[in-house]
Amino acid sequence: MNSSTSATIGLMSKESAADQGSGSNHPPAPPLSRYESQKRRDWNTFGQYLKNQRPPVSLPQCNCNHVLEFLRYLDQFGKTKVHVHGCVFFGQPAPPAPCTCPLRQAWGSLDALIGRLRAAYEEHGGSPETNPFGNGSIRVYLREVKDCQAKARGIPYKKKKKRKINHPIKTHQQDELIKNNSKQPAV
């Protein structure tokens, strides 16, 4: 067993001993869902980003401009090739060769991230009215990223139409008619 494994095991046994020795009869908290874990990780990452700003930004001082800067900052870690206008592969969904166009965060990833951060902001005591993640400029930015990436790939995003579900609404009279017809003897 190497030292990091033993340290981890020691850490786990200390945690479980602390849980048992606390005298509380509370059952252990259920593990977080994948969504909740990701939301917590995203929230911590954003908080760290704000702390690393010069000067550091506190959460109450945070506004939509900080969120936009954060989204642009994340682009450097992206894995989606976004062809620029001068690229010979611009507008091609499956380019035949590599190019030097930048890698960016995919629109869908940014959209999901903003959704999680928006929820986390309110869970941490922020009001929906002051939520910088729900600001209109964030929606505009996401729409621009979506359009830019769609054009660069040559694949238009089509807005999904809401399907109409044809559920006939039963009235009391229809229910009575069905009951009466089922009570009549078969001839």
Side-chain angles (χ1 to χ4, degrees):
M1 185 176 340
N2 65 29
S3 62
S4 65
T5 306
S6 61
T8 305
I9 292 171
L11 189 78
M12 290 184 341
S13 62
K14 287 177 188 173
E15 289 173 354
S16 59
D19 290 342
Q20 293 170 357
S22 64
S24 65
N25 292 331
H26 298 299
L32 295 175
S33 69
R34 184 172 177 226
Y35 171 80
E36 292 296 329
S37 297
Q38 187 64 53
K39 184 169 56 171
R40 177 184 287 179
R41 210 168 21 252
D42 293 338
W43 182 252
N44 291 338
T45 301
F46 182 70
Q48 192 61 50
Y49 172 80
L50 292 177
K51 285 178 189 170
N52 291 339
Q53 297 303 297
R54 294 290 167 242
V57 178
S58 68
L59 200 55
Q61 295 172 320
C62 173
N63 61 40
C64 63
N65 293 325
H66 296 108
V67 176
L68 290 170
E69 290 169 11
F70 178 65
L71 295 176
R72 291 183 190 108
Y73 160 79
L74 290 177
D75 264 343
Q76 66 183 312
F77 308 109
K79 297 176 184 160
T80 300
K81 178 76 74 170
V82 180
H83 299 289
V84 294
H85 280 284
C87 179
V88 295
F89 302 130
F90 183 82
Q92 292 186 25
C99 67
T100 60
C101 292
L103 293 173
R104 300 269 167 85
Q105 288 289 337
W107 164 78
S109 299
L110 293 176
D111 188 49
L113 170 69
I114 289 298
R116 290 189 299 268
L117 288 173
R118 187 176 183 174
Y121 179 85
E122 293 175 18
E123 288 174 8
H124 285 85
S127 77
E129 294 79 26
T130 62
N131 192 331
F133 303 100
N135 188 284
S137 61
I138 305 299
R139 288 191 299 274
V140 168
Y141 176 79
L142 289 174
R143 191 176 319 117
E144 288 172 357
V145 169
K146 176 181 170 183
D147 293 345
C148 173
Q149 290 184 5
K151 288 175 187 171
R153 293 173 49 218
I155 301 172
Y157 282 104
K158 293 183 179 174
K159 192 170 186 177
K160 293 180 182 177
K161 293 182 179 178
K162 293 181 182 177
R163 293 182 357 178
K164 291 182 181 178
I165 301 172
N166 293 328
H167 288 295
I169 300 173
K170 289 184 179 180
T171 64
H172 179 70
Q173 291 173 341
Q174 288 172 330
D175 286 340
E176 290 298 316
L177 185 62
I178 291 169
K179 280 184 197 175
N180 290 339
N181 286 341
S182 63
K183 290 182 183 178
Q184 293 176 353
V187 181

